Amino acid sequence: MSIDGQLPPKARLLRAAAELLANSGGSAVSTRQITQLAGVTAPTLYHHFGDKEGLFDAVVAAGFDEYVAGERDFAPSGQPLEDIRRMWDNHVQFGLKQPELYLVMFGNIRPESRPAIVADAEALMEEMLNKAAVSGQLNVPPREAARSILAANVGVTLMLIAEKAPERNLELSAMTRDAMVFAVSTEQARNNGSVDSGESSVVVAAIALNAALQASHSDQLSSSELKLFLEWLHRISNSSTS
Amino acid sequence: MSIDGQLPPKARLLRAAAELLANSGGSAVSTRQITQLAGVTAPTLYHHFGDKEGLFDAVVAAGFDEYVAGERDFAPSGQPLEDIRRMWDNHVQFGLKQPELYLVMFGNIRPESRPAIVADAEALMEEMLNKAAVSGQLNVPPREAARSILAANVGVTLMLIAEKAPERNLELSAMTRDAMVFAVSTEQARNNGSVDSGESSVVVAAIALNAALQASHSDQLSSSELKLFLEWLHRISNSSTS
DNA sequence: GTAGTTCATATAGCGTTGCTATAGGTGCTA
DNA sequence: TAGCACCTATAGCAACGCTATATGAACTAC
């Protein structure tokens, strides 16, 4: 139960810290656990990394290399906005695959102290957004767009990590992602055109659904149930005109 | 340098914890600091609150009451989506005004363990979104919309807290907020202009009816029938989007 | 080849942390 | 007055992050 091999103590400490961090299951990781697993004693840790945070920073740096590698891995699709979406998804996947490491990287928030890694991630996204801006696909400055998108990206990832694995719904991510990308893009410029029935009330909704029900899918309900259902819809359309 | 008065020890502990939390400046707050400021000894804390986290939960509960009060304070404007924007802004302001408390409430993230307060905040937002859904202003189910908006809202607030106060740019918040509200609303022209109006209006209709049904907990349908209808509505609203 | 210097690791322990086993005091009801 | 439930204090445990000090190993200087 120790990390051996001919690796020097510094590397063993890094590996031990990363491993414990990955398997800690949410509970804190102590320097004693790390040093024991690495097969060294406490002063060795402090000699090489200064303090616990220094060691974690080093682990994070390695993790960030992996993160960046993932973010750059795919070939640019020629559609910068599509690449942004892939960056987003990659970010979420990274967080879900290594939640403990992710939390050290992005979840260790304290007032007025910004982890360096956030700035790096922002720069990475800004770089990509720059390409979109060059081709006129951005309607806000790349820096602001990057900050905004990354904030939402981190928020969604943290929210997903906090949920129990079987309940995680990636639709949350996709929806938020598309909302953010859409918001900073010039695609929305075309939205001034005609909006069909812009304010759809319950009445309109009920009528539309009513029509849709009769037009198709009617085999999913028995006729009596359908009749009752339509009557119910009718009642709603009349009652809640507020 | 102690919280006196005739307050009982439990209240003094709460007050001391809240005060230390508010002024800790990011560093951790120890039980010894709290008990000393409250003028009691350690076992008193554990008698009343179980453990440190229990005490913090109690502080958070009080903080959440304040948070909810802020969220409900303004009169409904009659425009649910505008109310959602105000909820967003209130959330951010709450976080910036009491960053330490906010971090305990929303920033204390651990894998697979969701703070109860997140669910409460989500419910609060879902309630408001339900009103939007009833009047057909939502193009996604209120629950998903609430989750998505809240995730982005927390992400933005955390990001702002992490920044140094003079550098905080609230434009980040406003921009992300509008992007999210816009994304879940029917204000937008149909996404790519290519979607036929029929399908999307069925989605809107299903969502609006779903919200209306749940809001009016009526006795006009038996629970089993209602359950069946809701399930079917859910199927419709999902099948059209995927 | 020996002395000096530097780097790397170990021994041992400090101060603080969250928490608790145990006991004593206080006020109520019977 | 006896008993009981509630509340609080004394004292201390194990674990934490971290360090003063010492020892060994490797390299350079003469």
Side-chain angles (χ1 to χ4, degrees):
Chain A
M1 214 24 192
S2 75
I3 292 189
D4 295 283
Q6 270 61 14
L7 284 81
K10 187 172 180 177
R12 275 185 288 165
L13 278 168
L14 271 175
R15 191 168 296 191
E19 182 176 326
L20 285 175
L21 221 45
N23 305 334
S24 65
S27 58
V29 177
S30 72
T31 59
R32 281 175 168 82
Q33 290 173 356
I34 296 172
T35 55
Q36 182 185 344
L37 179 59
V40 300
T41 51
T44 305
L45 189 162
Y46 294 92
H47 172 71
H48 287 291
F49 299 100
D51 59 0
K52 186 186 186 181
E53 196 177 324
L55 171 57
F56 279 14
D57 283 349
V59 174
V60 161
F64 186 68
D65 288 344
E66 182 186 347
Y67 172 77
V68 171
E71 295 289 48
R72 292 194 192 277
D73 210 9
F74 51 85
S77 65
Q79 299 176 329
L81 292 181
E82 185 55 32
D83 288 343
I84 290 289
R85 290 193 189 89
R86 281 202 261 178
M87 273 187 96
W88 175 293
D89 290 342
N90 186 67
H91 183 110
V92 172
Q93 287 306 321
F94 180 82
L96 292 183
K97 195 176 291 179
Q98 305 197 326
E100 327 288 346
L101 180 58
Y102 184 87
L103 285 179
V104 173
M105 291 169 73
F106 290 98
N108 191 18
I109 298 174
R110 289 196 284 130
E112 318 228 350
S113 102
R114 220 159 98 93
I117 191 148
V118 174
D120 293 343
E122 250 181 51
L124 207 61
M125 186 159 281
E126 183 182 344
E127 183 184 321
M128 186 69 78
L129 281 165
N130 236 357
K131 295 179 186 170
V134 167
S135 53
Q137 294 180 277
L138 229 57
N139 69 354
V140 287
R143 170 151 302 154
E144 273 63 39
R147 282 165 45 81
S148 187
I149 293 177
L150 187 65
N153 204 354
V154 170
V156 163
T157 306
L158 290 177
M159 208 65 90
L160 286 174
I161 286 177
E163 285 176 7
K164 285 169 185 166
E167 295 174 5
R168 284 177 191 151
N169 181 2
L170 287 184
E171 194 60 29
L172 166 68
S173 169
M175 174 177 155
T176 316
R177 176 199 65 195
D178 292 343
M180 293 310 303
V181 171
F182 183 73
V184 302
S185 77
T186 50
E187 290 177 18
Q188 59 180 312
R190 307 188 230 130
N191 103 356
N192 287 343
S194 66
V195 179
D196 58 338
S197 68
E199 9 92 51
S200 43
S201 64
V202 172
V203 180
V204 176
I207 291 172
L209 183 58
N210 197 337
L213 280 176
Q214 291 181 324
S216 62
H217 306 96
S218 57
D219 52 340
Q220 300 189 20
L221 285 180
S222 77
S223 63
S224 62
E225 284 170 330
L226 182 57
K227 188 176 179 184
L228 193 66
F229 188 47
L230 293 176
E231 181 186 338
W232 173 248
L233 287 185
H234 185 65
R235 220 171 281 155
I236 289 179
S237 332
N238 292 342
S239 66
S240 65
T241 54
S242 57
Chain B
M1 206 37 185
S2 75
I3 291 190
D4 297 282
Q6 268 62 15
L7 284 81
K10 186 171 181 177
R12 274 184 289 164
L13 278 168
L14 271 174
R15 191 167 295 190
E19 180 176 327
L20 286 175
L21 219 46
N23 305 335
S24 65
S27 58
V29 177
S30 72
T31 59
R32 280 175 170 81
Q33 291 174 1
I34 297 172
T35 54
Q36 182 185 346
L37 180 59
V40 299
T41 51
T44 305
L45 190 161
Y46 294 93
H47 172 72
H48 288 290
F49 300 100
D51 59 359
K52 185 185 185 179
E53 195 176 328
L55 171 59
F56 279 14
D57 283 349
V59 174
V60 162
F64 186 68
D65 288 344
E66 184 186 346
Y67 171 77
V68 171
E71 295 290 46
R72 292 193 192 277
D73 212 9
F74 50 86
S77 66
Q79 298 177 328
L81 291 182
E82 185 55 31
D83 289 343
I84 289 290
R85 289 193 191 90
R86 281 204 261 178
M87 273 186 95
W88 175 293
D89 289 341
N90 186 67
H91 182 110
V92 172
Q93 286 305 321
F94 181 83
L96 292 183
K97 196 177 290 180
Q98 304 196 327
E100 327 289 347
L101 180 58
Y102 183 87
L103 286 179
V104 173
M105 292 169 72
F106 291 98
N108 192 16
I109 298 174
R110 289 197 281 130
E112 316 228 349
S113 102
R114 219 159 97 94
I117 190 144
V118 174
D120 293 344
E122 248 181 53
L124 207 62
M125 186 159 280
E126 184 183 344
E127 184 184 319
M128 185 69 77
L129 281 165
N130 233 6
K131 296 178 185 171
V134 167
S135 53
Q137 294 179 279
L138 230 57
N139 69 354
V140 288
R143 170 151 303 154
E144 273 63 37
R147 282 165 43 82
S148 185
I149 293 178
L150 186 66
N153 203 355
V154 169
V156 164
T157 307
L158 290 177
M159 208 63 90
L160 285 174
I161 287 177
E163 286 177 6
K164 285 169 186 166
E167 295 175 6
R168 284 176 190 151
N169 181 2
L170 287 184
E171 195 60 29
L172 165 68
S173 169
M175 174 177 157
T176 316
R177 175 199 66 194
D178 292 343
M180 293 309 303
V181 171
F182 183 75
V184 303
S185 78
T186 50
E187 288 175 16
Q188 52 184 306
R190 295 275 57 91
N191 311 355
N192 298 330
S194 63
V195 182
D196 60 331
S197 62
E199 184 185 50
S200 60
S201 66
V202 169
V203 175
V204 173
I207 290 165
L209 280 168
N210 202 336
L213 284 173
Q214 290 183 325
S216 71
H217 40 71
S218 170
D219 49 359
Q220 303 186 30
L221 282 182
S222 77
S223 63
S224 61
E225 286 170 331
L226 184 57
K227 192 175 291 183
L228 183 63
F229 292 156
L230 289 178
E231 181 188 348
W232 196 64
L233 281 177
H234 185 67
R235 210 176 302 151
I236 288 183
S237 64
N238 283 348
S239 68
S240 302
T241 52
S242 59

